[in-house]
Amino acid sequence: MARKLPRLERVLDAPALASVAYGEVASSIYFALGIIALHALGFTPAVLGLMGALFLVVALSYAEGTASIRETGGAATFVRVAFNDLAGFLTGWVLFLDYLIVIALSALFFAHYLGAALGIHSIARKPGDAIVGCLLIAAIAAVRLLRRTRLYTFGIAVPLLDLVTQLLLVVLGFALLFSGSALTRGLSLGTTPTWHQIVFALPLAMLAYTGLETVSNLAEEARRPGRDLPRSLFSGIGAVVVIYVLIALVGLSAFPQTNGTTALGVQWLRAPIMGIVSALQLHLPHWFGNVLRVYVGLTGALVLLAAATTSISGFCRLAYSLGEHGQLPRAFGRLNRRTLVSPAAVLSAAAISIAMVIFATLHHRGVTFLASLFSFGVLLAFTAAQLAVVKLRVTQPDLRRPFRVPLGIRIGGAVIPVPSLVGALLTGAVFVAAMVTHVGARYGGPVWLLGGLVVYFLVRHGSGAGLLEHVAAADEQALPPEAEFSRILVPMKLGEIGEEMVATAVKLAQERRASVEALFVVRVPLDLPLDAPLPEVEEQAAASLAEAAALGADNGVEVVGRAVRARSIGEAIVQAAAEGGADLIVLGSSPRWRRQSRFFSPTVDYVLRKTPAEVLIVAFPQGVLEEAHR
């Protein structure tokens, strides 16, 4: 199966994915710590650690699902493939809610960190924070509509800065603030806090672990999703859980509970990390304390800006997945060729999240309401995702799984992953707790779901498709099912066109159990002997062939590569196909030739006329790839 562009590009490697994972999850501590501490009090570190362990269990299922189904959409895609389109849509719809809440809270709290850093107190209180938050969301949306941004260009720098900042606070906090007696002062589990407060805090703690969906949504942009995504998830998330518990210990040491509450969840509710900084300033030289305040405040503002930006991107990726599978209007499934986003998705995300910022400002408990509403969506999605992984183990036991959830038990002909079953039960139980104790989850969640059902029914009714019917992506091109190929030849090409051609060949080979030969033609100029040394090109050939072999191994397909020297690339391809007995050749068609009368390049045209094998041409629209073409 090949996709016509515009589409998402496979450009993210393991370091970029790990940094995105850390940055996405770790950003939420800047707005979640105070909300959780308000209810869990001195048990906040324990609550964060407990829910962090559950989050890691959930990540196991996400790693298997993402590595097996290399499409954007996260849990919505797992559930759609495992069950049906309606179930997948409902999962995606509640995840929309989570993205919007993260955007709103990040933008709203951005003003508090920026104001504290610069000493501009007017933007760190009502209504200045709401005005700044709304303007920030509008600005992000405008930039995303006008230009194409690359997540990986700033996806490493900001998380590294965040990690350094949080480690600095942990080191200073344990040296100057930590106190075991302060943490336990006045605490009595069941009384202060009450059991109701603990149960109330457990779902809220999920707000501290945002970003798992955003990372899994990068499946179509990872170079080796089967290998890189699982490693990135666990390395990023594992570090976050440890840092969270340590920061919570420092924060509750600085602001222990007094009379059933803590200043971390009242005075510093909208800037809890700045509360820790204010406590540290009492123990530091005046100049150093001021520098620390400015540094942490600006870092927090930058991290929240990045969180809002990447959450809008995550919203757009999810909308793209639902739109191209007939679960949202088609406008959401069409990417702008210049910016690679759906304008409809960007505008929708901006408008709804701005409305949430205004609501959180006008309602006296608006922030807590949004946090509880977040728990409704994320817990429902986590439960559905884990059940989907279990279902796929039963219905598609032969599905290629580069990563598998460990500790499986064989039931009948399927190996059922125990962590996925246990995780689904636990997230389901916390979901029930949220519905019982949280007004936002109990009332706001079902209302949001009902609105989604109306949208889904109207979309399916308008297209004439059934509610449970699977709708294939409009830009999918599949070879006829009767087409059988045993040997596929894919000529290598530098850049993204070459990567797309290899990915297409590997996918076809995986579906038809065929072998793949990757061919790199070293074109030797006429003024040089055929065996003239060309070290730079030969190094490029070796690197490209190694990349093709790795991609094949990642998908369970053996890719045999070889480099040949020739005067004409087309002649070399035809000769290699004849010598190797290839019955299918995968070629790429660059856009510049289609602006001319010949439509195809001389190389593609020659292969079409001379080879006896079938030829599959992957067409690339104008404006998406600017490469050196054949």
Side-chain angles (χ1 to χ4, degrees):
M1 182 185 300
R3 290 184 183 273
K4 288 184 177 180
L5 297 188
R7 64 182 292 276
L8 302 173
E9 303 172 31
R10 293 194 182 277
V11 292
L12 297 174
D13 55 13
L17 286 166
S19 63
V20 171
Y22 181 87
E24 277 296 291
V25 182
S27 63
S28 53
I29 194 68
Y30 287 88
F31 54 75
L33 180 59
I35 299 172
I36 300 166
L38 180 63
H39 300 278
L41 302 178
F43 287 96
T44 297
V47 169
L48 283 171
L50 182 64
M51 298 310 291
L54 177 57
F55 192 65
L56 283 169
V57 172
V58 174
L60 290 171
S61 295
Y62 267 79
E64 177 173 320
T66 304
S68 305
I69 305 170
R70 287 103 186 275
E71 296 181 29
T72 191
T77 297
F78 312 159
V79 175
R80 171 175 55 80
V81 174
F83 297 101
N84 54 61
D85 277 25
L86 177 58
F89 169 79
L90 291 177
T91 303
W93 187 256
V94 296
L95 288 171
F96 276 150
L97 187 62
D98 290 343
Y99 279 123
L100 294 168
I101 291 171
V102 171
I103 296 167
L105 292 180
S106 297
L108 183 62
F109 285 34
F110 168 88
H112 291 264
Y113 283 91
L114 185 64
L118 303 181
I120 307 175
H121 303 294
S122 59
I123 66 172
R125 56 175 180 261
K126 299 179 182 179
D129 56 354
I131 295 172
V132 171
C134 292
L135 290 176
L136 181 68
I137 294 171
I140 294 172
V143 171
R144 202 65 185 93
L145 286 172
L146 294 175
R147 60 175 295 181
R148 178 181 173 188
T149 60
R150 293 181 179 270
L151 179 66
Y152 49 92
T153 56
F154 64 88
I156 296 179
V158 173
L160 283 177
L161 178 64
D162 185 22
L163 176 60
V164 169
T165 303
Q166 294 181 0
L167 287 176
L168 176 62
L169 292 177
V170 168
V171 171
L172 291 176
F174 270 85
L176 303 175
L177 300 177
F178 179 75
S179 169
S181 60
L183 278 170
T184 58
R185 186 186 308 152
L187 286 182
S188 175
L189 185 59
T191 303
T192 309
T194 65
W195 286 112
H196 180 274
Q197 286 178 296
I198 291 294
V199 174
F200 191 91
L202 288 174
L204 284 181
M206 297 309 298
L207 182 64
Y209 296 105
T210 64
L212 183 56
E213 272 293 323
T214 302
V215 179
S216 66
N217 261 329
L218 299 175
E220 282 194 35
E221 296 167 79
R223 289 179 178 172
R224 299 188 184 96
R227 182 184 311 172
D228 292 343
L229 274 168
R231 288 190 303 172
S232 304
L233 280 173
F234 298 125
S235 59
I237 294 172
V240 168
V241 174
V242 174
I243 291 290
Y244 272 13
V245 173
L246 295 177
I247 287 182
L249 289 170
V250 171
L252 271 297
S253 295
F255 301 100
Q257 77 88 21
T258 304
N259 299 323
T261 188
T262 170
L264 198 63
V266 179
Q267 179 183 353
W268 298 103
L269 175 66
R270 300 194 178 192
I273 303 301
M274 296 308 295
I276 295 175
V277 172
S278 72
L280 286 171
Q281 286 183 287
L282 300 176
H283 302 272
L284 295 170
H286 180 72
W287 67 270
F288 186 75
N290 286 334
V291 171
L292 184 66
R293 173 180 57 81
V294 174
Y295 167 70
V296 175
L298 291 178
T299 299
L302 181 60
V303 169
L304 291 174
L305 171 62
T309 302
T310 52
S311 293
I312 287 180
S313 295
F315 182 98
C316 292
R317 290 183 181 89
L318 178 55
Y320 166 70
S321 176
L322 298 183
E324 69 170 355
H325 288 94
Q327 297 165 305
L328 284 178
R330 287 294 184 188
F332 289 88
R334 289 195 291 268
L335 302 182
N336 181 278
R337 291 188 175 184
R338 183 163 54 88
T339 62
L340 282 186
V341 295
S342 164
V346 174
L347 293 173
S348 299
I352 301 174
S353 56
I354 286 175
M356 287 182 171
V357 169
I358 296 172
F359 168 80
T361 303
L362 297 179
H363 195 284
H364 71 286
R365 299 196 64 184
V367 170
T368 301
F369 184 91
L370 290 181
S372 65
L373 194 55
F374 178 93
S375 68
F376 172 88
V378 73
L379 290 167
L380 198 59
F382 282 177
T383 304
Q386 294 174 103
L387 292 177
V389 168
V390 174
K391 175 73 178 301
L392 287 171
R393 286 285 190 99
V394 176
T395 58
Q396 299 186 37
D398 297 328
L399 179 67
R400 170 67 178 169
R401 294 176 171 87
F403 176 85
R404 300 174 69 92
V405 178
L407 303 177
I409 57 172
R410 181 169 293 279
I411 300 178
V415 178
I416 305 301
V418 174
S420 297
L421 281 176
V422 174
L425 289 173
L426 291 176
T427 54
V430 180
F431 175 78
V432 172
M435 295 297 288
V436 172
T437 59
H438 289 242
V439 174
R442 186 162 60 249
Y443 297 110
V447 169
W448 178 261
L449 268 184
L450 181 61
L453 285 172
V454 172
V455 171
Y456 184 80
F457 174 80
L458 292 176
V459 170
R460 285 300 172 101
H461 179 73
S463 65
L467 295 180
L468 303 181
E469 178 185 349
H470 171 66
V471 176
D475 62 348
E476 287 181 358
Q477 289 186 335
L479 291 173
E482 65 275 8
E484 294 295 335
F485 306 104
S486 59
R487 298 184 65 84
I488 300 174
L489 175 68
V490 53
M492 295 296 298
K493 183 176 178 62
L494 296 177
E496 296 168 89
I497 286 183
E499 294 175 3
E500 179 70 16
M501 290 158 53
V502 174
T504 299
V506 168
K507 179 66 175 177
L508 290 170
Q510 188 182 46
E511 294 173 347
R512 289 165 170 77
R513 301 185 184 279
S515 62
V516 175
E517 179 183 2
L519 178 73
F520 194 104
V521 181
V522 178
R523 186 174 180 275
V524 182
L526 293 174
D527 59 344
L528 293 177
L530 196 59
D531 59 351
L534 298 169
E536 184 177 346
V537 180
E538 290 171 352
E539 288 179 8
Q540 293 174 342
S544 296
L545 293 174
E547 184 78 13
L551 179 62
D554 197 33
N555 288 272
V557 174
E558 182 181 6
V559 178
V560 178
R562 67 177 174 128
V564 298
R565 288 169 167 259
R567 304 290 188 187
S568 166
I569 296 178
E571 290 180 8
I573 293 172
V574 172
Q575 182 178 351
E579 292 175 352
D583 40 28
L584 177 68
I585 303 174
V586 178
L587 294 174
S589 172
S590 64
R592 71 181 180 118
W593 295 107
R594 295 196 295 278
R595 299 196 297 267
Q596 305 174 17
S597 59
R598 67 168 67 243
F599 196 78
F600 290 128
S601 70
T603 297
V604 174
D605 185 66
Y606 183 90
V607 173
L608 286 172
R609 288 187 291 105
K610 297 294 185 179
T611 184
E614 296 285 344
V615 179
L616 174 65
I617 299 175
V618 182
F620 297 81
Q622 174 64 31
V624 178
L625 298 176
E626 298 297 333
E627 298 281 346
H629 303 289
R630 286 196 181 95

